[in-house]
Amino acid sequence: IASYRKFLNHNDNEINLKELGSHQHGLIRIKVSERYNKTSINEKIGQILFNTAQYFNGNTLELGTSLGVSCLYFSQALNDKSITTIDINSIENIIEPYNDYFKNVIFKTGRFDDEIPLFCSENITQKVVFIDGNHTFESTTTYFRFIEKILEKESVVIIDDIRYNSE
């Protein structure tokens, strides 16, 4: 994880990203290192995600991949289980040098409004769900309503950036 963080922090390649549910709504062009510093979780939060995933030890869904830092904590905690992560942007070309670190991750690219109902229709129960994307109140509550139907009896839902905007 430290190696991947260092790679992102020193990566000055520019990428085009779609942004929804934030003050930068629309298409943006940004350096990988800037995106990393603006959106990636810190090590303390990463350790909390790692420990939570290990404790619950089951299917994990992440909404909002960004550059995959939080996803990597889940992946390392659950190296024998699969993690599904959904984002409007694909990061597969960015993580290419680190593909082995993400070997148990299923990347889905698309709008949450389209991908979450599809994912939930598969009826694969989840132990851990990490909601970290499209931070509007309406979107977050809508996604939660879909996801609550696929939660196991003892599950955890973590909602990040609850104060990201005024909603």
Side-chain angles (χ1 to χ4, degrees), residues 108-122:
K108 294 186 178 277
T109 304
R111 294 175 55 92
F112 288 168
D113 293 344
D114 301 325
E115 295 297 322
I116 294 170
L118 282 174
F119 180 81
C120 292
S121 71
E122 296 173 12

Side-chain angles (χ1 to χ4, degrees), residues 67-80:
L67 295 173
V69 173
S70 55
C71 180
L72 188 55
Y73 281 94
F74 290 128
S75 176
Q76 298 297 299
L78 301 169
N79 57 19
D80 64 335

Side-chain angles (χ1 to χ4, degrees), residues 1 5 36-50 69-70 73 130 132 160-161:
I1 296 172
R5 283 181 169 283
Y36 167 74
N37 286 306
K38 285 183 180 180
T39 65
S40 294
I41 59 168
N42 64 39
E43 290 178 42
K44 179 181 175 186
I45 299 299
Q47 192 61 52
I48 291 170
L49 295 179
F50 181 94
V69 173
S70 55
Y73 281 94
F130 183 49
D132 187 17
D160 198 21
D161 299 323

Side-chain angles (χ1 to χ4, degrees), residues 29-128:
R29 184 159 180 81
I30 190 168
K31 289 181 180 181
V32 171
S33 57
E34 288 178 44
R35 179 73 172 183
Y36 167 74
N37 286 306
K38 285 183 180 180
T39 65
S40 294
I41 59 168
N42 64 39
E43 290 178 42
K44 179 181 175 186
I45 299 299
Q47 192 61 52
I48 291 170
L49 295 179
F50 181 94
N51 292 340
T52 301
Q54 269 196 331
Y55 178 81
F56 283 91
N57 194 31
N59 294 332
T60 299
L61 172 65
E62 175 187 50
L63 305 179
T65 314
S66 188
L67 295 173
V69 173
S70 55
C71 180
L72 188 55
Y73 281 94
F74 290 128
S75 176
Q76 298 297 299
L78 301 169
N79 57 19
D80 64 335
K81 301 209 175 1
S82 68
I83 294 93
T84 300
T85 184
I86 303 172
D87 200 280
I88 195 165
N89 299 295
S90 172
I91 62 160
E92 292 182 34
N93 61 333
I94 297 169
I95 68 166
E96 193 171 338
Y98 291 85
N99 277 340
D100 288 347
Y101 292 10
F102 294 91
K103 64 184 175 289
N104 57 334
V105 177
I106 300 165
F107 291 94
K108 294 186 178 277
T109 304
R111 294 175 55 92
F112 288 168
D113 293 344
D114 301 325
E115 295 297 322
I116 294 170
L118 282 174
F119 180 81
C120 292
S121 71
E122 296 173 12
N123 288 321
I124 301 168
T125 58
Q126 302 296 304
K127 280 293 223 182
V128 177

Side-chain angles (χ1 to χ4, degrees), residues 18-22 25 35 39 41 61-66 70 85-89 110-113 116 129-144 147 158-162 164-165 167:
K18 296 173 194 161
E19 279 285 317
L20 299 174
S22 76
H25 194 82
R35 179 73 172 183
T39 65
I41 59 168
L61 172 65
E62 175 187 50
L63 305 179
T65 314
S66 188
S70 55
T85 184
I86 303 172
D87 200 280
I88 195 165
N89 299 295
R111 294 175 55 92
F112 288 168
D113 293 344
I116 294 170
V129 176
F130 183 49
I131 302 175
D132 187 17
N134 196 345
H135 302 286
T136 65
F137 176 80
E138 181 180 342
S139 295
T140 302
T141 54
T142 298
Y143 306 148
F144 181 82
I147 290 161
I158 303 165
I159 303 174
D160 198 21
D161 299 323
I162 60 170
Y164 194 73
N165 63 38
E167 296 176 4

